[in-house]
Each structure stands twice: as C-alpha cells, then as structure tokens.
Amino acid sequence: MRDELIRITQEELEAQKRFAREFHSLPGRPRTYHIVTYGCQMNAHDSEKLAGMLEDMGMTAAPAREEADFVLHNTCCIRDNAERKALGNVTWLKEIKKERPEMLIGVCGCMVQEPGMAEKILHQYPFVDLAFGTGNIHRLPELLYRAVDTRRRVVAVPEEQTVLAEGLPIRRESPFQSYVTIMYGCNNFCSYCIVPYVRGRERSRSADDILREVEGLQARGVQEIMLLGQNVNSYGNDMPGGVSFPELLRRVSRTGIPRIRFMTSHPKDLSDELIAEYAENPVLCRHLHLPVQSGSNAILSAMNRRYTREAYLEKVEKIRRAAPDVGLTTDLIVAFPGETDLDFEDTMDLVRQVGYDSAFTFIYSPRVNTRAAEMPGRIDPALATERIERLIALQEEMTQKRFAEMIGKRESVLVAGLSRRSENQLTGKCSRNISVNFPGDPALIGKIVPVRITGAGKTTLKGQIIEGE
Ligand code: 5AD
Ligand code: SF4
C-alpha cells in the first residue's frame, strides 16, 4: 500500500553520500570492484546503481573478478539453478581469497532476501564479508564502510521491502540504451514464484520522477529506453488518481526518445488501451513479451495466473488485429506439479497457435514458501526434460517460420556493437527485439539504421544496410 511506503529521505541520501566521501580516506579501503550479475533486467539495472555508488566511493571497475579488491555478487533466486550458480561462484572465490586475504566478498540481491538465507550465509559462508538484500541497495556506502572500518562481517536484510530510492548515482552500461525502473515488486503471487517474497509489494515511482529521468537520458543522446517492472500493467494502481501505464507510455514518448520498450506485462491486466497504444504510438517498439506459462486451464488455475487459455488467446488476437507487425515472445514453465500429458499437449498446441518469435522455457523449480512447493504431483525429472526438449524443438520451428516471413522486409536496427560471431559484422536489435547481424562501419554503433533482412540463422537475422535512405 502506498501509505506504508517509505521514500528514502534527503537526509538518508545525504548520510549515504557522507559515508561514500569518508570512504575515500579510510585506511586499507578497497580500490577496485567487480560486480557479477545474475538474473533479470531488474538485477542488471540494480547492478548499474551499485556500480554508481562504488564509483562515488572512489573505486574503479576491475575487468576480472580475481583481480578486484571487492567482488559483489548480485544474485537471483527465481529457480534453484540460478541460486546454485551464484553460491558456486561465491565459493570459488574462497580459494582466491586464501591467496589474497584482503579481498572483500559481497553477496546481495534477491537470494539474500530469501527466508533463512542470511543465516545460511552467516554460518555456512564465513568468507562472505558483506550481505544485503534488494531493499538495502541504497545503503551500500554505509554497509561497506562499516565492513572495512570494523573488519567485521556485515549482514543487513530488511523485514519489509517498502523503500523507494530516488536519486542514487547510476553507472549505465550503455550510452545509448538505458533501463528505467517504473515500479518495484509484485502483488500477483503466482503459486510457483518467489518474486513477491523477495522483492516485496508493488511500489510505483512517480510519473514526474520517471519523466525527469527519461528527459535526462534523451538529452544525453540515449536512443532506447526499457521501462522496467515485474508487472508494468499495474503501474500506478498503488497511487489512487495517478497516471496509468498507457498514459505513462504516451508521456514518455513525448520526451523525444526515439524508442521505448517495456518488461514485463501480465496477460490478465493487458488492457485494450495498451493494445491501442501499439497501433497509435510509433515510438513504442514492435515487441510484446507476454508470459503465458502454460496452455492448460487446469495448470493456469493451479499457478494462480487468473486468466484462461481462451482469454489469453483472445488478447493475442486483439493485438494481432490492432498491430500485425508486433512480435510476441513468452515464458513457459513445464512440469508444474500435477501437469499431465494432456496439459503439456495444451501448452504445445498454444505455442503452435500463437507462433511466438521466441520463448524462454523453464522446468518448474520448487521455491521456499511458495504455494506450489507444497502441491502434490511432482513430475519425474526425466519426463520434465523430455517435455522441455519437445517444447524447445517446437519453438525453434516457430521461430524459423517467423524469421522466414521477415526476409525481404525493412527493419530499423539500433546498432549495439560488433558481432561476436564474425568479424566486420555489426549487430543490433530491430524494433521487434530480434538480433540482426550485418556488415557495416563500426562508426554506426549507437545509431538506428535501416536494414533489409536477407536471411535467418537459428536465433538471429542477417541483413544489409539500406544505403541512401
Ligand atoms: N520455476 C520455474 N520457472 C519459474 N519462473 C518463475 N518462477 C519459476 C519457478 N519456480 C519463470 C516464469 C517467469 C520467469 C521470469 O521465470 O516463467 O515468467
Ligand atoms: Fe512472479 Fe507472477 Fe509476479 Fe511475475 S507476475 S513476478 S511470475 S508472481
């Protein structure tokens, strides 16, 4: 609820800035940092804020973990393998620390926010010097100051995630593509998902704060912004009489920023007004990520998704009618507890029917405290693997179909850099969010260029710049 929200005050922000300044002259302080980021865009953006604060503290980025004085792991806990990977990498550093005892190891982000995890870190990971949850990000200067000053371990996890931090320094990874958070947290409690427990309830930033940030980015020449929220369609619901998400999109579009994307929208709240925006707003990229999770009504209900397969397909139909050139992508979970062969076939059938550009596919992973973790009907891992492989193969077929339709078309590509695969090739995303590789001058990096699609690989398109346009 909005009235529970604690905005960090100007005094608190000043206090953190003081810690950052005083850190410069702290004896034996770390000079270099390296941040290892796991998980979603929200975490990637949090890492940009963490880096911003560390630079304010007089530290510079070290290219490799093993060389840094302070290594911070910004973790994810959405699935068991994300968590195991982070903990494995933290443990790996223990060996490096034996040779370089002055190295500081930090763990932050969603995993630290999980019930019982702070205690686990305290007892089972004694070489971790600093741990804090997502709600404490803005306190990094103070926490690190205390860890270095006292030479003692610092573990800080807030009880409630009610803080909304404005005014943090941000060290952005790209000069032409930027993340802008519009809301934090999630109220949906899908039965499999840990996010509402580790990121707290929905808190929207004010439209004025968002617009000010976007205007600043536009003035610095940023070409594309990605508006971030766990469930952007609920933007403003916690602010009675506030701005709705479609209205926010319109206002952001008027700043003159060339391209806008957003992540992620929940199908149950995808409004006609937002669909209309795709038809009317040329600044909005031609891509919609609309996670369906399953094609079976029984499973959707057990997942607490609050829409049916039919309602989802109807929304897809509406989007296709309003804006046929919008590419759809999705998230899919297989082997949810109790998923029968027929339920799974419903998912396969839905994937065939929608024809997504691409999909993220996951095997269900039980998470502490979530309702699904208590549900009967666990699926045998061998069967889960078989299902996900079939699903991936089907999606690859659908991707090829979509790619084939795009050959010969003109796409606007924001050039992100050099292609990793082949020399003399540039790479960037088209408005539909598909990577396009094409020969070109590296001076074009950071610009939006017209490209004719000439071919398709497995996950990327090939093209040629359209000259003289
Ligand atoms: N197991 C498997 N996949 C999950 N996701 C979220 N929680 C789980 C879980 N417990 C997937 C969903 C979500 C995406 C970000 O991660 O598909 O949309
Ligand atoms: Fe998790 Fe559902 Fe919220 Fe997405 S909408 S973050 S899947 S609870």
Side-chain angles (χ1 to χ4, degrees):
M1 286 294 108
R2 188 75 186 170
D3 50 359
E4 286 175 16
L5 182 81
I6 308 164
R7 238 168 208 284
I8 66 163
T9 58
Q10 207 51 40
E11 291 91 86
E12 163 113 42
L13 210 59
E14 283 306 320
Q16 294 300 330
K17 287 206 173 120
R18 263 197 310 280
F19 276 113
R21 272 197 306 275
E22 284 168 21
F23 192 78
H24 288 241
S25 46
L26 201 60
R29 70 159 173 101
R31 307 250 156 201
T32 57
Y33 71 90
H34 186 90
I35 301 177
V36 188
T37 308
Y38 305 87
C40 64
Q41 286 99 342
M42 197 67 91
N43 253 23
H45 189 36
D46 281 349
S47 287
E48 294 183 330
K49 294 178 187 164
L50 293 162
M53 286 182 273
L54 292 173
E55 305 232 330
D56 256 16
M57 296 171 83
M59 300 170 71
T60 53
R65 287 181 285 184
E66 49 274 40
E67 290 164 17
D69 299 336
F70 175 46
V71 184
L72 184 55
H73 300 79
N74 188 9
T75 60
C76 166
C77 60
I78 193 108
R79 284 169 296 277
D80 185 48
N81 54 3
E83 205 169 293
R84 273 206 311 261
K85 202 160 112 196
L87 287 174
N89 279 332
V90 172
T91 308
W92 176 79
L93 271 185
K94 182 178 152 188
E95 298 306 312
I96 310 277
K97 195 168 166 160
K98 278 188 189 145
E99 284 153 37
R100 293 185 50 212
E102 73 286 0
M103 174 188 255
L104 287 166
I105 300 179
V107 182
C108 68
C110 293
M111 201 177 79
V112 184
Q113 206 76 37
E114 242 181 292
M117 188 52 85
E119 290 76 18
K120 183 171 167 180
I121 290 172
L122 269 175
H123 297 119
Q124 293 178 25
Y125 295 82
F127 48 92
V128 170
D129 302 285
L130 177 65
F132 55 97
T134 46
N136 268 325
I137 278 182
H138 62 284
R139 287 178 61 210
L140 173 63
E142 173 195 347
L143 300 173
L144 186 58
Y145 185 97
R146 276 176 30 205
V148 174
D149 190 34
T150 62
R151 303 271 152 200
R152 295 180 64 168
R153 307 172 69 203
V154 172
V155 176
V157 186
E159 303 264 308
E160 280 287 333
Q161 290 255 320
T162 46
V163 174
L164 194 79
E166 290 293 342
L168 296 184
I170 304 178
R171 179 182 186 264
R172 297 191 186 265
E173 285 293 317
S174 160
F176 44 85
Q177 285 171 302
S178 298
Y179 295 126
V180 174
T181 308
I182 63 165
M183 61 190 300
Y184 302 86
C186 180
N187 290 354
N188 284 324
F189 290 93
C190 299
S191 64
Y192 51 82
C193 187
I194 199 168
V195 167
Y197 302 93
V198 295
R199 289 255 177 199
R201 295 296 72 69
E202 287 174 2
R203 285 103 65 206
S204 301
R205 288 179 68 197
S206 84
D208 286 346
D209 285 339
I210 296 167
L211 284 167
R212 213 170 302 129
E213 183 175 344
V214 176
E215 278 159 8
L217 294 168
Q218 193 270 340
R220 290 197 339 237
V222 167
Q223 299 292 304
E224 179 181 298
I225 56 159
M226 163 90 83
L227 302 175
L228 292 180
Q230 241 75 42
N231 181 16
V232 292
N233 296 322
S234 308
Y235 172 78
N237 286 357
D238 54 336
M239 293 187 287
V243 171
S244 70
F245 182 58
E247 175 59 22
L248 181 73
L249 276 180
R250 287 190 285 273
R251 292 195 192 175
V252 171
S253 305
R254 288 198 288 268
T255 60
I257 207 94
R259 275 180 163 193
I260 306 174
R261 302 183 183 280
F262 62 85
M263 281 276 246
T264 295
S265 61
H266 192 300
K268 82 175 161 54
D269 313 304
L270 181 75
S271 64
D272 289 350
E273 196 187 348
L274 181 57
I275 293 174
E277 209 50 37
Y278 274 103
E280 289 157 17
N281 187 343
V283 179
L284 190 57
C285 282
R286 313 275 85 198
H287 172 224
L288 176 62
H289 186 64
L290 200 60
V292 68
Q293 314 297 0
S294 169
S296 148
N297 280 334
I299 297 296
L300 286 172
S301 163
M303 286 177 163
N304 190 34
R305 291 291 287 177
R306 287 177 281 172
Y307 54 81
T308 59
R309 163 198 182 88
E310 292 75 23
Y312 181 92
L313 287 171
E314 204 180 300
K315 296 215 171 168
V316 167
E317 206 36 57
K318 272 189 183 167
I319 298 156
R320 291 263 153 87
R321 245 180 286 135
D325 57 338
V326 168
L328 295 174
T329 58
T330 201
D331 293 345
L332 296 155
I333 297 177
V334 303
F336 186 81
E339 186 185 70
T340 64
D341 285 343
L342 284 178
D343 291 324
F344 175 67
E345 292 309 326
D346 278 348
T347 300
M348 293 285 281
D349 183 66
L350 181 135
V351 166
R352 226 172 268 126
Q353 217 170 312
V354 176
Y356 295 106
D357 284 1
S358 64
F360 294 105
T361 49
F362 308 106
I363 293 177
Y364 167 71
S365 164
R367 306 280 66 207
V368 281
N369 273 11
T370 59
R371 271 193 293 144
E374 311 298 321
M375 289 180 187
R378 285 282 167 85
I379 307 298
D380 176 60
L383 180 58
T385 306
E386 194 187 308
R387 284 182 182 165
I388 201 168
E389 281 172 359
R390 278 186 60 206
L391 187 60
I392 291 170
L394 172 63
Q395 180 50 51
E396 282 173 358
E397 223 179 274
M398 304 315 294
T399 299
Q400 284 310 307
K401 238 185 194 167
R402 288 288 173 224
F403 282 7
E405 289 164 6
M406 292 180 74
I407 293 174
K409 293 223 164 104
R410 177 199 181 281
E411 290 290 329
S412 296
V413 178
L414 171 53
V415 188
L418 298 172
S419 161
R420 261 181 288 158
R421 289 260 174 92
S422 43
E423 279 175 37
N424 308 325
Q425 291 267 320
L426 300 176
T427 186
K429 292 274 176 83
C430 66
S431 179
R432 255 174 104 142
N433 208 34
I434 303 167
S435 290
V436 184
N437 298 330
F438 53 96
D441 184 346
L444 293 172
I445 292 172
K447 299 203 162 63
I448 296 175
V449 297
V451 173
R452 180 81 54 209
I453 304 302
T454 55
K458 203 169 166 197
T459 55
T460 58
L461 294 168
K462 296 183 186 88
Q464 291 288 338
I465 292 182
I466 304 173
E467 301 288 350
E469 209 182 71

